[in-house]
Amino acid sequence: MLQTGPREIVTPFRPIPLDVPEGMKPNEFFNSTENLNDLAHNNGLLLNPENLLLYRKALGHSTEFDTSIIYNTSKAILNPLGRPVRRTQVPENVRHVWNRMNQIIIDYMLEQYPDPAQHLVLAGEASLDATWPLTSPGVPSIRMLHNHFIVFPMDELRSAKLADSKNPNLTDGGQHSLFEMYMHDVYREFICKALHLEVLRPVSDDAARFDLTGYPQGLPSWEIPGGAATLEDVRFWHEYDLVLKGFIDFYRTFFSQVSTRNAPMLDDVYFPEQVESVLLFNNDFLRTAKKVRDRCITDAKYANAIRWQPAFKQLIYRNDQGKLIVTISQNSIGNAITELLGVVVSRVADAEAYEKKETKLIERLLEVRRRLVEADLGEGIATDYWPKA
């Protein structure tokens, strides 16, 4: 019988021929317009007038299927700290197009990989928190909102070695465990009272859990009744945003109390009535904020590690029973959505191994692009590896 636990999968990649200018750290350069130009030129698949760029992940999570959409504001917003890092900061018309792109790509993955016993299918996004200094360890390499679409063969996950449960990529700097240990009940009470969901259905931890790894652990989760067909309903995407808004209200309200004792309610919360009645009048909530505040005063390293603004991972994935599940968590230091499901990706530079998988991978990516172009969601990009159409 296979042992349950997080898995560390090894994924080869072709080394990227990029020269980082002298005197710059790599994650500083990766935020530049110059680097984003290179990303589109060498790995771009599709671009639309909304500045949503579909591209191949050069440093990917999987060689089976792996692509991303980035809201490429690198030329419109030169200051990387001013770029959108959450869907709630994206213009409505852009978000509408983005949701349609999400639906088509997820539908393709489920069509091509119909058996949950054979493939793990997931899609989601991690916030690229613009409050961290660019030089901080673990800060994402591209300071713009982007999401990921990934498929892992289950055979590879089953044969992968067990990951170290203390791997920093499987943690969130201790903040999620703080929520779970001290505020489990108030978190769920707030989410239930604030979010009036008609499509999404809350599910238990056991129903959400991916059996091989035992993850996710203790996160609020919802089933998407009807599966892929429901993703064609715009109401689902509205509720997907509500889940994020509820999380943001909880997170921001909590850390406002950490920052300032008895802070007034923030002016721009999404659910002010529930923030006031559930959060700001809850002794566990305020007691935990005091614990964190007191530690920040005496522990500089701990205080520096806190993500003071909302940093999240939100995920759609298929569980072992073939149901689609939505979950959300605080972001981890590692900043990869796969870790919510207990999958740690160890990337190794191995051009020969990557090239053995590349032809099939590109075929799948070009088929997804064809479907997006057909749906009037953008125009193809030509690279050295594929034509424009």
Side-chain angles (χ1 to χ4, degrees):
M1 183 176 179
L2 282 176
Q3 184 177 350
T4 297
R7 292 306 201 270
E8 183 173 339
I9 193 168
V10 176
T11 301
F13 68 89
R14 181 191 292 114
I16 302 175
L18 271 183
D19 295 323
V20 178
E22 185 177 351
M24 288 188 80
K25 291 181 171 61
N27 57 347
E28 293 173 320
F29 174 65
F30 291 158
N31 277 285
S32 69
T33 300
E34 179 186 353
N35 174 56
L36 268 295
N37 286 338
D38 181 87
L39 184 152
H41 178 74
N42 287 324
N43 291 287
L45 290 157
L46 173 141
L47 181 64
N48 58 36
E50 289 77 23
N51 290 319
L52 295 169
L53 170 67
L54 178 77
Y55 64 100
R56 171 179 63 171
K57 295 286 290 186
L59 298 178
H61 299 84
S62 171
T63 54
E64 178 67 31
F65 186 86
D66 194 332
T67 188
S68 281
I69 302 171
I70 193 167
Y71 184 35
N72 187 0
T73 55
S74 61
K75 292 183 180 179
I77 305 173
L78 298 184
N79 173 11
L81 299 183
R83 295 171 184 159
V85 293
R86 296 184 290 278
R87 283 197 319 281
T88 52
Q89 298 168 330
V90 174
E92 178 63 35
N93 66 310
V94 176
R95 196 159 65 246
H96 179 80
V97 170
W98 201 332
N99 290 341
R100 291 182 59 217
M101 295 176 75
N102 271 266
Q103 182 269 318
I104 287 173
I105 298 173
I106 295 171
D107 187 65
Y108 172 82
M109 291 193 294
L110 295 172
E111 173 193 302
Q112 295 298 307
Y113 303 100
D115 186 353
Q118 297 298 317
H119 293 93
L120 173 60
V121 173
L122 59 109
E125 62 203 64
S127 94
L128 309 185
D129 185 347
T131 63
W132 272 12
L134 287 173
T135 52
S136 289
V139 167
S141 57
I142 299 175
R143 196 62 72 90
M144 288 187 292
L145 177 60
H146 63 288
N147 58 3
H148 311 254
F149 305 87
I150 307 168
V151 175
F152 289 109
M154 286 298 298
D155 284 345
E156 292 184 16
L157 290 176
R158 293 187 189 102
S159 61
K161 71 175 184 179
L162 288 171
D164 181 357
S165 60
K166 296 181 181 178
N167 185 312
N169 292 332
L170 291 169
T171 73
D172 60 0
Q175 294 173 35
H176 172 65
S177 56
L178 181 87
F179 279 28
E180 280 299 298
M181 185 177 299
Y182 298 108
M183 297 184 294
H184 181 281
D185 293 338
V186 66
Y187 185 26
R188 279 158 176 69
E189 180 187 357
F190 173 74
I191 290 291
C192 289
K193 288 188 175 179
L195 310 182
H196 300 292
L197 303 177
E198 298 178 358
V199 176
L200 292 172
R201 296 177 185 167
V203 294
S204 67
D205 293 351
D206 288 342
R209 190 169 294 123
F210 179 44
D211 287 343
L212 180 66
T213 66
Y215 283 68
Q217 296 183 335
L219 301 180
S221 301
W222 298 263
E223 179 190 344
I224 306 174
T230 302
L231 302 185
E232 299 179 21
D233 185 343
V234 71
R235 292 181 304 165
F236 163 77
W237 296 101
H238 290 162
E239 294 195 3
Y240 192 63
D241 283 342
L242 283 179
V243 168
L244 175 57
K245 289 175 179 179
F247 172 84
I248 288 173
D249 271 7
F250 188 93
Y251 192 110
R252 292 181 66 223
T253 300
F254 178 74
F255 283 104
S256 73
Q257 297 300 317
V258 172
S259 174
T260 305
R261 179 185 175 276
N262 199 29
M265 183 167 58
L266 298 167
D267 292 334
D268 54 351
V269 295
Y270 295 104
F271 306 104
E273 181 180 336
Q274 290 80 6
V275 166
E276 180 181 36
S277 62
V278 179
L279 301 184
L280 296 181
F281 208 74
N282 184 281
N283 291 329
D284 288 338
F285 185 80
L286 297 171
R287 186 185 300 119
T288 307
K290 180 181 185 301
K291 286 178 182 289
V292 177
R293 187 187 321 118
D294 290 348
R295 184 173 175 184
C296 286
I297 291 171
T298 60
D299 188 341
K301 187 175 181 180
Y302 178 79
N304 188 58
I306 284 180
R307 314 282 300 259
W308 293 95
Q309 293 297 319
F312 73 97
K313 295 177 182 177
Q314 190 169 358
L315 188 61
I316 300 170
Y317 65 97
R318 184 173 63 191
N319 71 3
D320 294 295
Q321 289 72 46
K323 296 178 179 179
L324 294 185
I325 304 293
V326 171
T327 193
I328 192 166
S329 172
Q330 294 189 77
N331 208 351
S332 75
I333 307 303
N335 203 22
I337 63 169
T338 62
E339 286 119 20
L340 272 191
L341 298 182
V343 178
V344 177
V345 178
S346 178
R347 299 176 179 88
V348 294
D350 188 336
E352 184 178 351
Y354 180 79
E355 286 166 4
K356 290 178 180 178
K357 303 278 190 176
E358 185 174 22
T359 299
K360 287 291 186 181
L361 172 62
I362 291 177
E363 284 179 5
R364 297 176 187 116
L365 298 182
L366 292 182
E367 171 57 20
V368 161
R369 181 178 75 173
R370 184 193 67 78
R371 296 184 186 197
L372 292 169
V373 170
E374 191 176 69
D376 196 20
L377 288 169
E379 296 294 331
I381 298 173
T383 71
D384 291 340
Y385 302 99
W386 51 75
K388 180 177 179 180

